[in-house]
Structures are given as structure tokens and as C-alpha cells.
Amino acid sequence: MQTEKTNHLVRRKDPPVSLGNAARVVAGHPLRGRVEDDPAGDIRVVQLKNADPVAGVDMKELPRISSSGRKEPTFLKQGDILFVNRGMRFFGAYVDKVLDRVVAAPHFFIIQADREKVLPEYLAWFLNSRRAQRYYSQCAAGTALPHITRKTLEALPVDVPDLERQALIAQVYQCSLRERRLTERLLNRHELLVSSLLDAASRNSK
């Protein structure tokens, strides 16, 4: 997921720091079984299908649940990063919107950057970089359903250049994501157009 556009911007001047020293890692909201939508619920839930490393977090049509228990849930905030901690793809999805009473399913870790050290937009890039992906591949536990523990994620070595360089890398990364989304949209439209033309041609030949 790392692009060539961002590779050369990272200078390894200082040794990397562990993710746990640059951000807070919080478990997703505990749930029992599948999420059943409760229209009267007061909390919305982000599930795996709502997160994508390129598209980010889709907040449309999130199921609702009712709050329970005395402990206040960890509500998502703008700038948080959702990390998919199990499955065949480990990645981070950046929350770029202000949210109201939204939690993450337990398949996620919520990463909250220490903004004095690292910009969340930069951290979102690093979590999806090839170096981070290699780390996940080497450190994932389990075979049938690989997963990353919180301890393993907190130990992820993160390059932390100065904030100005982080901002530059994050900007280039966001541009590359927008470019990718536009390209995918164009390809989908092209496929639809070609399919329609071929379909019409086959009918006219009868």
C-alpha cells in the first residue's frame, strides 16, 4: 500500500520508536455475537465492511445498538485510526470526519496518535506502508485466522521524522489515495460502458 511517491520522503536520521510510545492503542467495543441493528439504539457501530485502506471509513448506514453497562464506551473521534487486527489483510483506516456516538467493532484496535510526536495522517500512512506490512506478516499469530495482538502492534517500529516532513508525506499519501479512487471509478465506468455496448451489439445481431 506504500507508494513510491512517499518512500524517498522518509529519512532514517533517528532510530524508530515503538508505536506504543507514539500513540495510544485501545481495543474496539466489546460485543456478543453479531451486530443486530436496533433502530432505537443510541450508538452506531463501525464494522469490518465499513473500513478500507484506500476509501477510509464509510459512515453510511451503520447499524445501531443500545448502550449498556456503566463504563462509557470509547467513542471514535476525528483523527483516530482503525486498525484491522485479524484476517488476511492488516491495515489502518483513517477517521477523517467528526462523529457522534460511534464505536468500533472488536475486530479493530483504535489508534490515537500523540500529536506532539506524530501526526495521525502520517501514522495512517505508516501503518499501511510496506515496512509495516512486512512486520505484520512476520509477527501475526495464528494460521487459520491470523491476528495481531495489541502487544505486537504496540511494538511496531515507527519512523518519526519531524512534523513538517510528516505533514508532507501525509499530503502526498492523501493525493495518491485520491488518484487511486478516481482511477478505480473511471475503470468501473469504462467496464460498464463496454459491457453495455457489447450487450447491445449482441442483441442487434439477432
Side-chain angles (χ1 to χ4, degrees):
M1 300 174 196
Q2 185 177 14
T3 68
E4 295 299 329
K5 296 177 182 177
T6 50
N7 283 341
H8 69 286
L9 295 174
V10 179
R11 293 175 181 167
R12 297 187 179 181
K13 183 178 179 181
D14 299 315
V17 302
S18 64
L19 178 65
N21 283 323
R24 181 173 174 241
V25 180
V26 184
H29 188 70
L31 296 169
R32 293 180 180 175
R34 293 182 55 186
V35 177
E36 300 291 344
D37 184 38
D38 176 6
D42 59 335
I43 296 175
R44 293 183 295 157
V45 183
V46 176
Q47 302 180 87
L48 284 178
K49 62 183 179 183
N50 305 116
D52 182 87
V54 177
V57 183
D58 182 4
M59 297 295 174
K60 298 174 185 172
E61 301 179 355
L62 297 180
R64 291 180 176 272
I65 60 172
S66 297
S67 54
S68 60
R70 297 178 181 177
K71 187 178 177 183
E72 180 81 352
T74 301
F75 291 117
L76 297 177
K77 304 187 297 292
Q78 186 178 27
D80 285 349
I81 303 163
L82 297 183
F83 180 81
V84 176
N85 60 32
R86 67 188 70 177
M88 304 311 292
R89 265 200 326 168
F90 301 110
F91 64 87
Y94 181 66
V95 178
D96 63 351
K97 301 178 180 65
V98 176
L99 306 175
D100 181 29
R101 297 183 70 79
V102 177
V103 298
H107 304 86
F108 296 103
F109 287 129
I110 305 162
I111 300 175
Q112 300 170 332
D114 179 345
R115 292 172 184 259
E116 291 187 359
K117 299 177 181 175
V118 63
L119 299 177
E121 298 91 341
Y122 168 83
L123 194 52
W125 163 76
F126 192 88
L127 289 165
N128 292 330
S129 69
R130 281 184 289 193
R131 267 176 292 149
Q133 292 295 324
R134 280 198 297 272
Y135 175 85
Y136 307 145
S137 299
Q138 294 166 357
C139 300
T143 52
L145 183 63
H147 60 277
I148 298 286
T149 66
R150 186 194 299 194
K151 185 177 180 182
T152 297
L153 185 60
E154 288 175 335
L156 169 70
V158 180
D159 286 318
V160 183
D162 60 71
L163 293 176
E164 185 178 354
R165 183 161 288 269
Q166 289 182 37
L168 178 60
I169 291 170
Q171 189 175 8
V172 173
Y173 180 55
Q174 288 303 316
C175 286
S176 72
L177 292 181
R178 278 196 292 274
E179 182 182 346
R180 214 169 135 181
R181 290 194 291 268
L182 286 172
T183 301
E184 288 176 358
R185 201 176 303 168
L186 286 173
L187 285 174
N188 288 337
R189 289 183 178 180
H190 177 73
E191 286 181 10
L192 186 62
L193 176 63
V194 171
S195 177
S196 299
L197 290 173
L198 293 178
D199 187 50
S202 68
R203 290 179 181 177
N204 291 336
S205 65
K206 294 179 181 177

